[in-house]
């Protein structure tokens, strides 16, 4: 059975209550949100065509960089109505709830500013002067596309331009470290991470490193 068939099948069950456990109750895709909610409370958000017309399309239009004030205001109003409609049926686990059941030390958050390496600076400058950024500023491309590109450059230049193509090639095992993919000294962030890890190791700390992409995990692994 495919996805639509499964959805139709489970909606046929006669039950006193219906529950959905989701890590993202407010989905990035509003059509997916409607599908989940229509399972637990059929008809509450109307039919899919009506939901798309009254909520999804106006909210999406308001998120575009070239949206005017009227469109943005309409999107905000629709999002507010949608939020107020579904909120009574959502049970959210808050960080304060978790903290009351487990013994964790107080959070100490420190924000570190890392200088770009010369290679990163060059890539950064070239990108913000590129045609892609011009299209973003003119509203033809989404801002998110540009933010992803800039984040890659700031994390490590190899994430943006692909870096050395010979990473993992056994025939080139005698390459200098700086010629390998993900070499840590070519990233301002990794230079800072390297110095922190040395310090924390001397102090006997345990460390967890989080990234927002698997490619960055690969860079950390080879650094």
């Amino acid at each position: 059975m495919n996805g639509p068939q499964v959805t139709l099948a489970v909606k046929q069950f006669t039950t006193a209550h219906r529950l959905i456990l989701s890590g993202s109750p407010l989905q990035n895709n509003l059509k997916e949100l409607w599908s989940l909610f229509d399972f637990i409370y059929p008809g509450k958000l109307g039919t899919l065509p009506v939901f798309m017309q009254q909520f999804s399309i106006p909210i999406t239009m308001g998120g575009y960089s070239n949206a005017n004030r009227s469109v943005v205001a309409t999107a905000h109003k629709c999002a507010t109505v949608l939020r107020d409609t579904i909120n009574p049926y959502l049970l959210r686990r808050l960080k304060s709830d978790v903290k009351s059941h487990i013994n964790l030390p107080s959070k100490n958050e420190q924000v570190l500013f890392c200088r770009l390496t010369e290679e990163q600076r060059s890539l950064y400058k070239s990108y913000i002067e590129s045609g892609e950024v011009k299209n973003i500023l003119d509203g033809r491309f989404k801002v998110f596309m540009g933010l992803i590109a800039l984040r890659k450059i700031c994390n490590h230049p190899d994430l943006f331009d692909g870096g050395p193509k010979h990473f993992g090639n056994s025939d080139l095992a005698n390459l200098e470290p700086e010629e390998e993919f993900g070499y840590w000294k070519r990233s301002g962030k990794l230079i800072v991470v390297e110095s922190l890890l040395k310090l924390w190791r001397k102090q006997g700390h345990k460390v967890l490193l989080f990234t927002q992409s698997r490619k960055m995990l690969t860079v950390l692994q080879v650094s």
Side-chain angles (χ1 to χ4, degrees):
M1 296 177 66
N2 55 33
Q5 289 176 324
V6 172
T7 300
L8 291 174
V10 296
K11 285 185 176 181
Q12 301 304 313
F13 288 109
T14 301
T15 58
H17 303 286
R18 289 181 177 180
L19 299 173
I20 286 181
L21 180 64
S22 172
S24 303
L26 300 180
Q27 307 296 316
N28 293 328
N29 187 325
L30 289 176
K31 186 176 180 180
E32 183 179 349
L33 172 64
W34 177 89
S35 180
L36 294 175
F37 209 85
D38 195 62
F39 169 73
I40 60 173
Y41 198 147
K44 182 64 177 179
L45 296 181
T47 63
L48 180 57
V50 171
F51 176 81
M52 297 295 290
Q53 185 66 34
Q54 295 184 353
F55 292 103
S56 182
I57 294 176
I59 292 173
T60 301
M61 294 294 292
Y64 291 146
S65 59
N66 60 346
N68 58 41
R69 290 185 177 180
S70 175
V71 172
V72 172
T74 300
H76 181 265
K77 183 177 180 180
C78 291
T80 301
V81 172
L82 179 59
R83 180 200 63 194
D84 293 343
T85 301
I86 67 177
N87 262 352
Y89 307 96
L90 294 178
L91 294 175
R92 299 178 60 195
R93 184 182 65 176
L94 304 178
K95 288 184 178 180
S96 57
D97 299 329
V98 177
K99 191 173 182 180
S100 64
H101 290 84
I102 57 177
N103 186 21
L104 290 176
S106 299
K107 183 178 180 181
N108 181 14
E109 184 173 342
Q110 297 183 24
V111 180
L112 302 180
F113 293 89
C114 309
R115 290 181 179 275
L116 297 176
T117 61
E118 288 303 319
E119 182 179 357
Q120 287 176 297
R121 190 181 300 275
S122 177
L123 284 174
Y124 197 101
K125 185 176 180 181
S126 296
Y127 182 73
I128 61 176
E129 294 174 350
S130 68
E132 185 171 297
V133 171
K134 186 178 186 302
N135 285 328
I136 293 173
L137 295 176
D138 291 341
R140 289 190 289 271
F141 291 171
K142 291 187 177 181
V143 175
F144 193 60
M145 179 187 300
L147 294 177
I148 291 176
L150 293 178
R151 185 179 66 185
K152 288 180 178 179
I153 295 173
C154 291
N155 284 339
H156 197 289
D158 291 353
L159 299 177
F160 178 75
D161 61 10
K165 304 300 181 184
H166 44 255
F167 174 63
N169 190 331
S170 58
D171 296 334
L172 299 170
N174 295 323
L175 289 172
E176 295 297 325
E178 59 270 17
E179 297 178 303
E180 291 287 354
F181 177 89
Y183 182 55
W184 65 276
K185 285 189 177 180
R186 292 169 46 228
S187 165
K189 279 189 176 182
L190 291 186
I191 291 174
V192 173
V193 168
E194 193 268 348
S195 63
L196 288 173
L197 289 177
K198 283 185 176 180
L199 174 62
W200 290 336
R201 184 177 183 180
K202 289 181 180 179
Q203 296 174 343
H205 292 300
K206 294 181 180 179
V207 178
L208 285 176
L209 293 177
F210 295 89
T211 73
Q212 292 181 316
S213 70
R214 287 180 295 177
K215 287 186 177 180
M216 189 61 191
L217 281 177
T218 300
V219 170
L220 288 170
Q221 183 179 0
V222 301
S223 296

